[in-house]
Amino acid sequence: MPVHESVWGLGGAEERAALAKVEGVVPLAERVIVPAGVEAAFYRLNQLPGQLGDLFGRLVSRDPDEDDVEDVAPEARALLARHVLDDVFVEAFYEASSQLPERVRVRRLGREGTLALRGRPALLALRAAWAEAWTDEAIVARLRETGELMPAPRAVVVHGADQPASETVVTQVAEVLGVPPRIVTVVDGRVAQLVP
């Protein structure tokens, strides 16, 4: 079923396009998509943009001092860790992922992600995917690139624990894409991750 573009947020266009191209030709693994809007709502409902802005203050510029960012970033990570997800979302996440295998991979498109057990461990892996935006390196890179402190929300994908695809699947995908893919993984023979 097609997913509206707004669900994805920024990033992952290469994998999304590849998956769309092979859909209907090769079977795709069942997945749960956590929309970009959920990440945005987490920040908004916990009033984090203002708190993070106050914390970083003068460091928010296109030329941040890396040492200063390194001093403040741990406080930002601690602030994020103290805030919780909305209970309605947590229940919806558990319900949506209940149809997936017991072991799942939680990842941003185009990224390897983390293996976890379905349920609370997967929810913690989702939080960890969001937290990747708050490493010292990610903060500095974002400030230099955009001048913005807050990361652009992006979707997270949850699917069964995957493994490298067989040569047969790789060949089939390559024929559809017109180029050999860099990464193809499968869950029970169905394509989970596809990076051309």
Side-chain angles (χ1 to χ4, degrees):
M1 179 169 89
V3 177
H4 192 274
E5 189 71 23
S6 65
V7 167
W8 296 108
L10 297 177
E14 187 177 37
E15 183 174 355
R16 287 193 334 255
L19 286 168
K21 200 167 186 179
V22 302
E23 187 173 18
V25 180
V26 297
L28 300 181
E30 187 174 352
R31 65 194 66 229
V32 170
I33 301 165
V34 179
V38 173
E39 183 178 13
F42 168 73
Y43 286 112
R44 187 179 62 254
L45 295 175
N46 286 297
Q47 301 174 349
L48 291 169
Q51 295 177 64
L52 289 162
D54 291 344
L55 188 61
F56 280 88
R58 63 177 177 75
L59 298 177
V60 179
S61 76
R62 285 188 176 265
D63 187 25
D65 183 298
E66 291 182 38
D67 292 333
D68 289 344
V69 169
E70 190 176 300
D71 290 341
V72 176
E75 293 177 57
R77 290 188 286 272
L79 177 65
L80 292 163
R82 286 194 302 268
H83 288 82
V84 297
L85 292 164
D86 181 75
D87 288 342
V88 172
F89 166 73
V90 172
E91 289 305 315
F93 178 80
Y94 289 159
E95 183 177 332
S97 57
S98 67
Q99 302 304 309
L100 296 176
E102 184 178 355
R103 287 182 40 82
V104 296
R105 184 174 300 279
V106 180
R107 66 183 183 86
R108 302 270 196 189
L109 288 177
R111 305 291 296 271
E112 183 178 344
T114 305
L115 288 173
L117 293 176
R118 191 180 60 228
R120 181 160 174 72
L123 189 64
L124 294 174
L126 168 68
R127 292 283 303 257
W130 290 349
E132 289 173 2
W134 295 96
T135 64
D136 298 357
E137 297 80 13
I139 295 167
V140 169
R142 184 167 57 252
L143 288 172
R144 286 185 177 153
E145 185 178 321
T146 67
E148 298 290 327
L149 176 63
M150 296 303 296
R154 295 177 292 147
V156 173
V157 177
V158 184
H159 54 71
D162 51 348
Q163 60 189 17
S166 68
E167 277 302 314
T168 303
V169 172
V170 171
T171 300
Q172 191 176 17
V173 166
E175 287 173 4
V176 175
L177 295 180
V179 295
R182 287 182 283 150
I183 300 170
V184 182
T185 67
V186 294
V187 176
D188 296 329
R190 302 168 78 84
V191 173
Q193 183 175 15
L194 174 54
V195 181

